[in-house]
Amino acid sequence: MIRSTGTWVQTVEGWFVPTRRIEVGKSPSEVFLYDHEGIGYRRVPFDAILRAERVDSEALYEDHWIPLVSTWTHNMVHAYAPLPRSQGGHLAVLYTYSSPEWSTLITLPGAEVHDDRGGNGGVSFVVALDALDGYRQTVTTLIPASADDGQDTC
């Protein structure tokens, strides 16, 4: 399963993305979670949260590990759900502001170089999930489940 970079909250219904960041060790009274399709959101009381994690994701594209910042449907609706990499019809947005491999990254297929004069420079790629050659994530626990040790790498 692929999760984009960001905060993820688990409830009995699965993993969801909150509308606001959750800080390590903080216990908000309620959290607003996006629907998996990204169209709406709903309020969830804190006691309905099983765990919360900060996920830093990267995808292997053309032999380069690039941060995976979001996932989308083929018709560009934001997908706020963990997705199987082999599932067709979904896209990954890969984006980096800078990299030691910059001169190579900007020559890869689909590279879109963004003008840094407005503060949003970098290079991005929109890639089909099933075209990625690999995926990895680092997970930091924000709100632990009962027997969790705090951090792990997948």
Side-chain angles (χ1 to χ4, degrees), residues 41-62:
Y41 59 89
R42 62 192 166 88
R43 188 179 92 204
V44 175
F46 178 74
D47 60 359
I49 295 172
L50 302 177
R51 76 183 296 132
E53 298 176 341
R54 168 68 189 175
V55 175
D56 292 298
S57 300
E58 294 179 302
L60 185 60
Y61 175 65
E62 297 286 325

Side-chain angles (χ1 to χ4, degrees), residues 59-130:
L60 185 60
Y61 175 65
E62 297 286 325
D63 297 323
H64 300 276
W65 287 102
I66 305 169
L68 189 157
V69 296
S70 61
T71 54
W72 298 78
T73 64
H74 70 283
N75 57 355
M76 296 311 289
V77 173
H78 205 152
Y80 289 108
L83 300 170
R85 196 168 87 204
S86 60
Q87 183 171 336
H90 286 93
L91 304 168
V93 174
L94 311 178
Y95 190 93
T96 186
Y97 292 104
S98 64
S99 169
E101 302 175 308
W102 182 261
S103 59
T104 301
L105 291 177
I106 63 174
T107 66
L108 295 179
E112 183 176 337
V113 179
H114 303 275
D115 188 346
D116 64 357
R117 290 178 289 179
N120 293 321
V123 61
S124 66
F125 304 86
V126 179
V127 180
L129 286 184
D130 57 1

